[in-house]
Amino acid sequence: MDFKSFRKKSPWILHYNTGSCNGCDIEILACLSPKYDVERFGILNRGNPKQSDILLVTGPVTKRAKERLLRLYFEMPEPKVVVAVGACACSGGVFRHMYNVENGVDKVIPVDVYVPGCAARPEAIIDGLIKALEILKSKGKDLELPSWCKADVKPPVNRAKLLNSCLEEFHGCRRD
Amino acid sequence: MEKIVYSLFLVPWVLALAVFLLPGARFHRLRQLITFLSLPALSFLTYLVWNGHLPLQIETPRWLNLAFTVYDYGLLLYFLYQGIKFRDFLVTVLALFQLFLLTWILLIMPESSVPDFYVDRLSAFMFLIVSTVGTLICIYATKYMEQENLERENRFVAILLWFLGVMNLAVSVNNIEWFFALFETTTLASYILIRFRWDEVSIKNALRALWMNQIGGIAILLGLLFGIKYYSFTHFTQFLSLSGKPAIVMIPLGFLAVSALVKGAQMPFHRWLLGAMVAPTPVSAILHSATMVKIAPYLILRLSPVIKGTLLAKLLIITTGFVFVGAGLLALTQENFKKILAYSTISLLGLMMLTASMGSSMAILASLTLILFHAVVKALLFMEAGVMEKLFKAKYIEDIRRLVERAPITVAFTSIGFMSMTIVPYGIFVSKWMAIEEASNFLSHGAYVGSIIFMATGGVILALLYFKVIGVMTRKRGEFLKFQLEKVPFAYLFSTVPLVLFVIVGSIFIAKLLCLSVNPVVEAVIGTPAPIIAKGLTLITPVSELYGWQIIGAFVLLLIVPILAYFVHFTGTDRVYEYTCGEKLELNIGTYNFFCIQVVEPFVETAAVALFILTLVLGGGLV
Amino acid sequence: MSYWTAFILTLFSPVIGGFIYGLERIVRARMQGRVGPPLLQPFYDFFKLMDKRSIIIHSFHAFMGVMYLIGTWFALFVLLSGGDLLIAIFFHVLSLAFLVVGGFSVRSPYSVIGAMRELLHMVAYEPLYVLSATALYLVTGTFQVSGILHSEHVPLIYLPLLFIAVLFSLPAILKKSPFDTAEAHQEIIGGPEIEYSGKFYEAVYTAKWIEYVYAFFFIFLFAGGNHILGALLIIFAFFFFNLLDNVTARVNFRQMVAFHWYILIPLAVTNLMLIALWRS
Ligand code: SF4
């Protein structure tokens, strides 16, 4: 039986703020409110990476947040998609080139959909989510890695070890 | 037949003497062998008694009476000496008071021709527990003491064996004065055993156990005194003849019941049993399971035909029910593993006495089932506590964290022990179930409604307690890399495995067990057997049925599956770390200690005191 | 109820429970002025979870999740098969034991807290259910579920206060607001179920649907032999507890236990004693 078609019908989201100004987060929550009501599409805000399909990231990824982001990303089971919400998450936005940020989510983890706007409008976010659902449907169940992470993995994966080897590559010897 | 009964007391004493006379490390094996002999010997004797013609009344020569009197005086003088030696005011004063009362009783004691030994099925039932569970604990103790203090092992094991004989004697006497002597002898035994390590705490706790139990002794003496005054009764069987008579004077019965409450460590007299944990673990095992505290439900069971339906019984129901809940609550706050077990003993003793004082045949059945299974399970749990202490140096809940990674056998046995005290198919559950259903027949009495509330809440509190402990034990860091059993000494396995097997097999065949073994005892206690039928594994009670498939199903879920869980490996799946909001943390997971409950401790104790006095004053008819 | 009907009903209980849950999500959305997901949404979730890559902490934990499903299923069968009501209640405890042990078996703070709260839930509602079993016995004269279902009397008429008490503790058994401390999605993110994912979470998720059937069947018993009234009661209870879920905030566990012990249980006991006194 092909379950792929059900992926579109019940995406559960995890929402993570990597140091945004909270503008985009409020817009995301507005999507859940009666006016926009994304639960129509079966979308639930689970708040738990282990049971989520879509990672909604806001903010420019501060240096402090990047390891957390990576941890959360590895905790999510495949298939999964990442949606960068807001200008900050797409490219760093108003925080770009500051000493403490990574200039966007795609510097850390692979991003599937970019939702622009400062702050991103709820309509845009919903649009982005729908786009993400298309991508989710086409994805396989193989492990996804950030492009910079060269760790060789063979299933079954021990994600704690994977995270550590990735982080070592990422930081060199520097760890925070 | 008489000889068999006598040998039930004498054999343990002879063995004890033999063990005592073989000191030193050299004779360790020999002592173990002698101790081991007690198991087949006593079991065989009990088997003979059980199959013999019961009830048995034994006339004794007059000199025995005299000997008991002399022994009484000697014992009380010894207490007095201990009180003076350790400068303990309470012990001294209570011993003096006991001497005074005893003298008074002897002065007005009427001549009676009632036989002084009365061995019925209830006694045989107690023999059964003592001679199996008790001797297993002795065998366990030989190994335990080998690891602790080989020099004093002979002394320790000898006392334990002697204690078994005393216990056998205590449940078969009919004369209340003799019963008092043996009651105080068990007090003496517990005093010596608790004191065994001879450090400051031990002596303090031993003295506390002494004076608290002396109060029980005084209650017996007062009961006897009033029994003589009102009825010139000096024997249990004489009291039994009162049953069914309207308007009886309750004072003697009230005092006897109170002595049972004291011996059964019911609040506010629970501290002596808690204090017993300073002694080596076999002491706790033997005090909590086979001997000592079991005198309490035994005494209530003896009296239950007389007190059934009276105000005393109802007050006893409320008091013991309250202790059932209260002790469970206080157990939640404890961190020491043995203390948790001790509180749960107190709590379950409350339940035993509650059901015993309800007095109907089903309730008595429930009470006896509880006594049987509780003895087995508590012995098992305390032995496992000893194993944890000796092999894994774990005394507190914090120490047994993630024990499952190191000690699968110990954890499995302990979990079976804990689960068998609350969860569905096990014997203790069955008796609770029967008791609740029995109590539902009398809902127009406040006491019975109270008993249902107490049973429901107390049971669930104990479940909370046990799962808290099981949860701490079964926590794991990751996969079992390779399944490896810990090395448990043979003597430990020898004494625990039979208990585990009994719990499991006895619970599966609970219907047969109740019909064939426990129901005759019920008949002996109140004259009519409980109306239960065993059909295959199915147990049919007057109002309901416990189906065989339910028992089997629950066992499959509870036993086979978690053991399977050791071997189930989802090899193809990814492993991941725990969710911690994305933070990298050193996890150090503790457990809930319910400190908030400590606030209610004074209230619980005050209420227990109030209920105690109420039982004595209203139930005993002192007004 | 014969064994076969009970068996078939038990077999299809996830489907029934799934529909109840789907309906609940719609009703809840409507109460909040939203449109809500489609009715079949729980099943979409179910099939989606089938398709996820499973990641687990360790096998024991994952296995306990599966056992929770099986245990709940078995407990429901014990209830539906018409046996003793008290035993069915205690079987429910047994099934929860798996969830709790599973929750305790990982070194996750949320999971451990959640498992502990799960036990406290049990402490809160369990005595009430035992009391209601005895109350049903008092009215119908039997502990057997099949007997209650064919009884002449309608227990609801005799036990109004007890029914109210059970109604108010329904959120505690199903872990809905105000008594959802064990799950508390905003606080401990699902409690004992947090570390499950993929197929193993699916087991836990389905077990919760079965619990819906379990809880609502308990409500059904209050109508005795009058099955139409029973259906009405279920519908009423369904809407009532959704309303309660929507209009209340979460209480902490002490308030939950206190509410059950000091308000609901006395309420039930009052009812019980009045009936018993009246009957005797
Ligand atoms: S994109 Fe704008 S609104 Fe959104 S987080 Fe960044 S600064 Fe705030």
Side-chain angles (χ1 to χ4, degrees):
Chain A
M1 191 169 168
D2 188 25
F3 295 114
K4 275 197 173 170
S5 56
F6 292 106
R7 286 186 195 163
K8 274 176 74 172
K9 291 185 172 163
S10 120
W12 291 350
I13 59 176
L14 170 70
H15 164 206
Y16 183 50
N17 171 343
T18 61
S20 85
C21 78
N22 256 348
C24 287
D25 304 298
I26 287 171
E27 299 301 329
I28 288 175
L29 293 183
C31 293
L32 300 167
S33 68
K35 180 152 186 189
Y36 297 101
D37 188 26
V38 283
E39 206 191 340
R40 278 177 296 155
F41 312 118
I43 295 179
L44 279 184
N45 190 358
R46 294 298 291 189
N48 179 351
K50 304 194 169 173
Q51 294 150 14
S52 311
D53 312 286
I54 302 181
L55 177 58
L56 282 185
V57 193
T58 61
V61 190
T62 59
K63 296 234 148 102
R64 280 245 154 226
K66 75 190 165 198
E67 190 179 325
R68 279 81 176 158
L69 181 59
L70 207 58
R71 279 183 81 93
L72 290 177
Y73 183 73
F74 280 137
E75 271 175 60
M76 287 177 66
E78 283 79 10
K80 61 190 173 191
V81 288
V82 179
V83 180
V85 176
C88 295
C90 296
S91 63
V94 289
F95 303 107
R96 192 172 175 84
H97 294 320
M98 270 169 70
Y99 64 94
N100 62 342
V101 302
E102 294 283 345
N103 296 339
V105 179
D106 52 4
K107 302 286 183 303
V108 185
I109 55 176
V111 175
D112 298 283
V113 180
Y114 297 86
V115 178
C118 177
R121 294 182 62 82
E123 290 89 344
I125 295 174
I126 294 174
D127 207 31
L129 281 173
I130 303 298
K131 282 244 161 47
L133 291 183
E134 290 297 328
I135 298 172
L136 183 68
K137 192 182 168 191
S138 62
K139 279 204 174 179
K141 291 208 278 182
D142 293 333
L143 185 75
E144 282 185 69
L145 282 179
S147 54
W148 47 265
C149 182
K150 296 287 180 293
D152 60 327
V153 282
K154 47 184 190 307
V157 187
N158 186 336
R159 297 194 178 213
K161 277 193 192 131
L162 172 67
L163 175 73
N164 277 339
S165 62
C166 273
L167 279 178
E168 246 147 57
E169 265 180 78
F170 196 66
H171 297 293
C173 55
R174 184 169 51 87
R175 296 280 296 275
D176 54 12
Chain B
M1 190 67 188
E2 276 125 67
K3 293 209 179 69
I4 299 170
V5 174
Y6 286 143
S7 48
L8 266 170
F9 326 133
L10 295 177
V11 166
W13 290 345
V14 171
L15 292 176
L17 194 67
V19 168
F20 186 69
L21 292 179
L22 294 170
R26 259 187 315 152
F27 295 116
H28 173 66
R29 289 273 160 227
L30 192 58
R31 282 199 303 266
Q32 268 189 328
L33 187 72
I34 294 173
T35 320
F36 172 75
L37 277 182
S38 66
L39 175 64
L42 285 183
S43 315
F44 181 66
L45 289 172
T46 310
Y47 171 78
L48 289 182
V49 172
W50 185 271
N51 283 338
H53 189 69
L54 294 176
L56 180 69
Q57 308 209 348
I58 306 175
E59 306 267 358
T60 45
R62 272 197 64 79
W63 60 265
L64 206 59
N65 218 334
L66 199 65
F68 261 102
T69 310
V70 173
Y71 174 72
D72 262 344
Y73 274 106
L75 192 65
L76 293 179
L77 286 174
Y78 179 73
F79 287 169
L80 188 63
Y81 165 67
Q82 293 296 321
I84 292 168
K85 182 178 164 197
F86 292 105
R87 299 211 168 70
D88 195 299
F89 176 71
L90 275 169
V91 172
T92 320
V93 169
L94 290 174
L96 283 173
F97 190 48
Q98 277 177 317
L99 280 169
F100 166 70
L101 283 176
L102 185 66
T103 319
W104 189 358
I105 286 171
L106 288 175
L107 287 180
I108 63 166
M109 184 101 152
E111 279 296 315
S112 79
S113 55
V114 185
D116 287 325
F117 279 107
Y118 179 72
V119 181
D120 65 349
R121 276 210 194 275
L122 181 59
S123 315
F125 184 73
M126 299 306 275
F127 293 157
L128 185 76
I129 292 173
V130 170
S131 61
T132 49
V133 180
T135 47
L136 281 176
I137 294 171
C138 292
I139 296 170
Y140 173 87
T142 56
K143 183 74 192 169
Y144 185 92
M145 287 314 279
E146 181 195 339
Q147 290 178 335
E148 171 155 326
N149 184 347
L150 200 51
E151 282 308 306
R152 301 185 68 208
E153 183 204 315
N154 64 326
R155 203 176 263 273
F156 186 77
V157 178
I159 298 171
L160 288 184
L161 281 170
W162 169 68
F163 198 175
L164 297 185
V166 172
M167 184 67 193
N168 275 343
L169 187 49
V171 293
S172 47
V173 293
N174 191 13
N175 187 332
I176 298 180
E177 192 214 331
W178 295 15
F179 183 74
F180 164 75
L182 294 159
F183 185 94
E184 288 299 4
T185 313
T186 57
T187 305
L188 172 72
S190 66
Y191 171 69
I192 297 172
L193 286 171
I194 296 173
R195 199 183 61 178
F196 191 77
R197 278 185 178 146
W198 276 111
D199 48 23
E200 206 175 313
V201 199
S202 303
I203 292 173
K204 202 172 118 246
N205 287 348
L207 285 169
R208 184 161 60 204
L210 189 55
W211 73 255
M212 281 193 174
N213 278 304
Q214 275 178 306
I215 292 179
I218 287 176
I220 291 189
L221 285 176
L222 285 172
L224 182 57
L225 199 61
F226 285 106
I228 294 173
K229 177 176 182 305
Y230 286 109
Y231 300 109
S232 13
F233 281 178
T234 50
H235 291 68
F236 283 120
T237 38
Q238 290 175 318
F239 277 106
L240 288 187
S241 65
L242 282 177
S243 66
K245 293 224 179 79
I248 43 177
V249 179
M250 295 305 292
I251 299 176
L253 298 168
F255 276 115
L256 287 177
V258 163
S259 77
L261 291 183
V262 174
K263 201 66 170 177
Q266 300 294 287
M267 281 193 262
F269 291 99
H270 62 294
R271 291 192 189 274
W272 73 263
L273 195 57
L274 295 181
M277 57 166 266
V278 297
T281 310
V283 175
S284 307
I286 208 151
L287 289 185
H288 286 256
S289 63
T291 61
M292 194 74 176
V293 294
K294 287 291 183 299
I295 291 184
Y298 164 79
L299 197 52
I300 302 271
L301 279 173
R302 271 265 177 269
L303 301 177
S304 74
V306 193
I307 62 172
K308 175 185 177 185
T310 60
L311 185 61
L312 177 63
K314 287 174 189 164
L315 284 168
L316 275 176
I317 287 177
I318 292 181
T319 313
T320 51
F322 180 78
V323 173
F324 180 45
V325 177
L329 269 180
L330 295 187
L332 286 176
T333 59
Q334 301 302 319
E335 290 174 48
N336 189 312
F337 193 72
K338 281 207 263 179
K339 253 195 179 157
I340 287 180
L341 294 181
Y343 268 113
S344 78
T345 303
I346 296 166
S347 170
L348 282 168
L349 277 170
L351 186 57
M352 283 171 219
M353 288 194 246
L354 188 160
T355 43
S357 34
M358 280 183 0
S360 61
S361 56
M362 285 304 286
I364 299 284
L365 182 71
S367 179
L368 288 166
T369 320
L370 256 177
I371 291 177
L372 179 62
F373 277 92
H374 177 262
V376 173
V377 171
K378 239 343 126 46
L380 170 68
L381 282 174
F382 268 108
M383 287 184 197
E384 291 301 336
V387 171
M388 285 180 197
E389 205 174 290
K390 283 285 167 243
L391 300 186
F392 305 102
K393 306 278 170 277
K395 272 191 180 168
Y396 293 89
I397 294 198
E398 293 296 297
D399 306 333
I400 61 170
R401 250 193 268 167
R402 301 185 17 222
L403 195 65
V404 72
E405 290 171 352
R406 285 173 290 160
I409 299 181
T410 311
V411 169
F413 284 7
T414 317
S415 319
I416 288 174
F418 275 138
M419 286 192 296
S420 69
M421 290 206 267
T422 45
I423 280 203
V424 167
Y426 289 104
I428 293 181
F429 160 78
V430 173
S431 61
K432 204 167 67 185
W433 168 68
M434 290 191 296
I436 292 178
E437 299 206 328
E438 182 62 20
S440 337
N441 288 324
F442 308 101
L443 283 178
S444 48
H445 297 289
Y448 289 95
V449 177
S451 74
I452 288 183
I453 299 173
F454 286 138
M455 279 188 266
T457 46
V460 78
I461 286 172
L462 286 183
L464 171 62
L465 173 70
Y466 299 145
F467 277 107
K468 178 181 129 177
V469 182
I470 291 179
V472 176
M473 282 192 305
T474 52
R475 189 164 309 143
K476 304 192 311 142
R477 194 180 274 277
E479 208 67 42
F480 287 114
L481 292 178
K482 69 178 192 297
F483 181 73
Q484 194 181 21
L485 296 177
E486 74 269 34
K487 284 206 177 52
V488 184
F490 176 72
Y492 288 170
L493 281 180
F494 181 82
S495 45
T496 48
V497 171
L499 299 180
V500 174
L501 285 182
F502 174 78
V503 170
I504 293 170
V505 174
S507 304
I508 290 179
F509 296 99
I510 186 96
K512 282 267 177 311
L513 183 75
L514 292 191
C515 283
L516 298 181
S517 313
V518 186
N519 225 355
V521 186
V522 177
E523 191 175 357
V525 174
I526 56 163
T528 46
I532 53 165
I533 308 164
K535 211 165 100 196
L537 297 180
T538 305
L539 175 67
I540 303 173
T541 68
V543 287
S544 190
E545 290 174 46
L546 173 63
Y547 296 110
W549 62 263
Q550 290 171 338
I551 300 177
I552 297 291
F555 264 107
V556 169
L557 287 176
L558 267 182
L559 280 181
I560 301 173
V561 170
I563 290 171
L564 249 179
Y566 278 115
F567 304 106
V568 172
H569 288 281
F570 298 107
T571 36
T573 41
D574 294 5
R575 295 293 183 276
V576 76
Y577 37 87
E578 287 86 3
Y579 175 67
T580 49
C581 297
E583 294 291 335
K584 187 174 195 299
L585 294 174
E586 257 317 303
L587 290 174
N588 186 15
I589 312 268
T591 184
Y592 273 52
N593 279 327
F594 293 97
F595 285 125
C596 53
I597 293 178
Q598 274 175 353
V599 182
V600 301
E601 189 171 347
F603 300 110
V604 170
E605 283 184 12
T606 319
V609 174
L611 283 172
F612 213 84
I613 294 170
L614 216 61
T615 312
L616 188 60
V617 173
L618 284 183
L622 290 186
V623 278
Chain C
M1 214 184 288
S2 78
Y3 276 106
W4 277 112
T5 17
F7 184 69
I8 291 169
L9 213 59
T10 314
L11 210 60
F12 285 100
S13 62
V15 182
I16 304 168
F19 273 113
I20 297 177
Y21 183 53
L23 203 62
E24 183 200 312
R25 279 174 73 171
I26 295 179
V27 168
R28 199 167 38 177
R30 294 293 155 86
M31 282 178 178
Q32 294 167 354
R34 293 188 285 121
V35 178
L39 180 63
L40 290 177
Q41 185 60 43
F43 300 103
Y44 298 156
D45 297 346
F46 182 89
F47 289 122
K48 177 207 70 176
L49 285 168
M50 290 282 251
D51 197 27
K52 296 287 277 186
R53 191 182 168 105
S54 304
I55 50 176
I56 59 177
I57 305 277
H58 51 68
S59 302
F60 183 72
H61 176 244
F63 191 65
M64 282 295 148
V66 180
M67 282 314 301
Y68 173 49
L69 171 65
I70 297 173
T72 322
W73 227 335
F74 193 71
L76 183 70
F77 180 64
V78 172
L79 179 68
L80 293 182
S81 65
D84 188 284
L85 186 55
L86 267 177
I87 289 182
I89 291 169
F90 286 107
F91 262 95
H92 185 249
V93 176
L94 181 132
S95 70
L96 275 183
F98 290 112
L99 184 66
V100 169
V101 170
F104 274 130
S105 74
V106 287
R107 299 174 65 252
S108 157
Y110 298 113
S111 184
V112 172
I113 291 175
M116 200 70 220
R117 289 190 186 174
E118 190 78 50
L119 287 173
L120 286 164
H121 268 269
M122 210 165 79
V123 171
Y125 65 71
E126 170 93 8
L128 197 60
Y129 280 74
V130 173
L131 278 175
S132 45
T134 57
L136 287 170
Y137 168 70
L138 199 62
V139 175
T140 61
T142 174
F143 274 106
Q144 302 282 76
V145 173
S146 49
I148 296 172
L149 285 178
H150 291 119
S151 136
E152 305 279 288
H153 307 277
V154 176
L156 181 67
I157 299 172
Y158 302 92
L159 307 166
L161 293 178
L162 185 74
F163 182 70
I164 291 172
V166 170
L167 213 55
F168 271 97
S169 80
L170 206 55
I173 201 171
L174 294 175
K175 280 137 217 143
K176 296 285 172 198
S177 178
F179 306 127
D180 60 344
T181 51
E183 266 171 28
H185 268 282
Q186 300 79 0
E187 183 189 350
I188 53 172
I189 323 162
E193 65 192 45
I194 179 175
E195 302 293 344
Y196 293 102
S197 72
K199 293 193 188 63
F200 301 104
Y201 180 63
E202 178 156 26
V204 179
Y205 197 55
T206 319
K208 278 161 62 183
W209 302 349
I210 298 176
E211 285 205 3
Y212 276 94
V213 182
Y214 188 96
F216 283 119
F217 188 77
F218 207 88
I219 299 281
F220 187 71
L221 289 181
F222 275 86
N226 195 340
H227 295 186
I228 300 172
L229 179 66
L232 288 176
L233 277 186
I234 288 182
I235 294 171
F236 170 70
F238 177 76
F239 280 101
F240 177 78
F241 109 100
N242 272 312
L243 186 68
L244 210 61
D245 186 20
N246 266 314
V247 296
T248 48
R250 182 181 318 124
V251 297
N252 66 29
F253 70 84
R254 280 180 216 181
Q255 289 164 326
M256 175 180 75
V257 175
F259 181 75
H260 276 82
W261 279 29
Y262 303 144
I263 296 178
L264 295 187
I265 291 182
L267 208 63
V269 170
T270 317
N271 199 159
L272 211 59
M273 286 205 73
L274 286 178
I275 285 288
L277 286 175
W278 188 256
R279 286 271 172 111
S280 65

